Amino acid sequence: MITAIANQKGGVAKTTSTIALAGLLAHQGSSCLAVDLDPQGNLTTGLGVEVSEGQLTTYEVFTEQALVLDAVVETRYDISLLPTDISLAKVEKELINQEGRFYTLRQQLETVKDKFEYILIDCPPSMGLLTINALAAADSLLVPVQCQFFALKGLEAVLQTIQTVKEKLNPDLKVLGVLPTMAEKNTVITQDILKTLRNQLDGIKVFDPVPKSVKFAESNLAGEPIHVYAGEWRLVQPYREVIREILLLEEAMEEEEED
Ligand code: ATP
Ligand code: MG
C-alpha cells in the first residue's frame, strides 16, 4: 500500500504526519519505507539522517541513475528511508520535457513493492512534478490541513488536482481523508473549521483532529516519532485512526482483487 501525504500549502504537518505514521507502522511490526519527496529534506533530517556527499538520494532514483534499494537507508525505529537533499529540486526542470515524467516514481517504486508492506511519500508544498509523481504512484492519499480560517480555500485546489490526476494518470487513487492538524483545544474557531470541513467535503472522511502541541516540534528535533517521544494518547490517537483507515482500504482492495 502506497500512501502519499500531500497538500500544496506549506507547514500543515505533512512531514510530521509522515513520521508519526511510519513510526506507528514500524512499531506494529510492519515493514515501512518512508520516501522524502521534498527537496527541503525535512523528513530525512526528521528521521535523524544527514545526507553525506556522494550519497545516493531520491534525485538519483528520479533520474534513473540508481534503484530505490540502492539509496534506501535504515533509520532508528525500524523505518526505512529514501533520503533526499536539495539536489532533488533540479528534477522539476530536468524532467520537464521527458515523456512519461509523471510515472517515474511509480516505476521505481514497483521494484520494491514486494519488499515493503507500506510506503509513505512525504510531498513538497506544491502541486508540481514531484507531487504529481507521488499521486500517480499512490494507492491512497492523506491530506493534512492546518486548522485555520483559510483551510478550506487551499483545499479546493488540492481536490481539483486530485480529480485531474484521477482522470488522467491514476484512476485507482483513493482519498483516505483529510486530517486536521494543530487543532487548538475547544476554541470556537477550531470547532467552526471542523464543522465547515465536515459539511463541505462531500464523501471525504475528516479525521479527528491532531491537537496543537509543542511536543511535535520537539519530537522532530529529537528525530523521534511522536509515539516514542510522547506517549500521550491524545497526540497519537488521530494517527492510529489514519492507520486503521489504511488497513480498511487495504482489505477492500484485496477483496476487489479476489473478485
Ligand atoms: P512543509 O510544507 O514545509 O513541508 P509540512 O507540511 O511538512 O511543511 P511540518 O514540517 O510537518 O509541515 O510541520 C510544520 C511545523 O509545525 C513544524 O515545526 C512542526 O513541528 C509543527 N507541527 C506539526 N504538527 C504539529 C502539531 N500537531 N502541533 C503543533 N505543532 C505542530
Ligand atoms: Mg514537509
Side-chain angles (χ1 to χ4, degrees), residues 15 38 42 122:
T15 304
D38 183 353
N42 292 342
D122 180 26

Coordinates of all heavy atoms in Angstrom, one line a residue, residues 15 38 42 122, ligand 2:
T15 N 5.1 16.5 6.9 CA 6.3 15.7 7.3 C 6.1 15.1 8.7 O 6.4 13.9 8.9 CB 7.5 16.6 7.3 OG1 7.6 17.2 5.9 CG2 8.8 15.8 7.6
D38 N 10.5 15.8 -0.8 CA 10.6 17.3 -0.7 C 12.1 17.7 -0.6 O 12.8 17.3 0.3 CB 9.9 17.7 0.6 CG 9.9 19.2 0.8 OD1 10.5 19.9 0.0 OD2 9.2 19.7 1.7
N42 N 13.1 17.6 4.9 CA 12.8 17.6 6.4 C 12.5 16.2 6.9 O 12.7 16.0 8.1 CB 11.5 18.5 6.6 CG 11.8 20.0 6.4 OD1 13.0 20.4 6.4 ND2 10.8 20.8 6.2
D122 N 6.2 11.6 1.6 CA 6.1 12.9 2.1 C 6.3 13.9 0.9 O 7.4 14.0 0.4 CB 7.1 13.2 3.2 CG 7.0 14.6 3.8 OD1 5.9 15.2 3.7 OD2 8.0 15.0 4.3
Ligands
MG2 MG 7.3 18.8 4.9

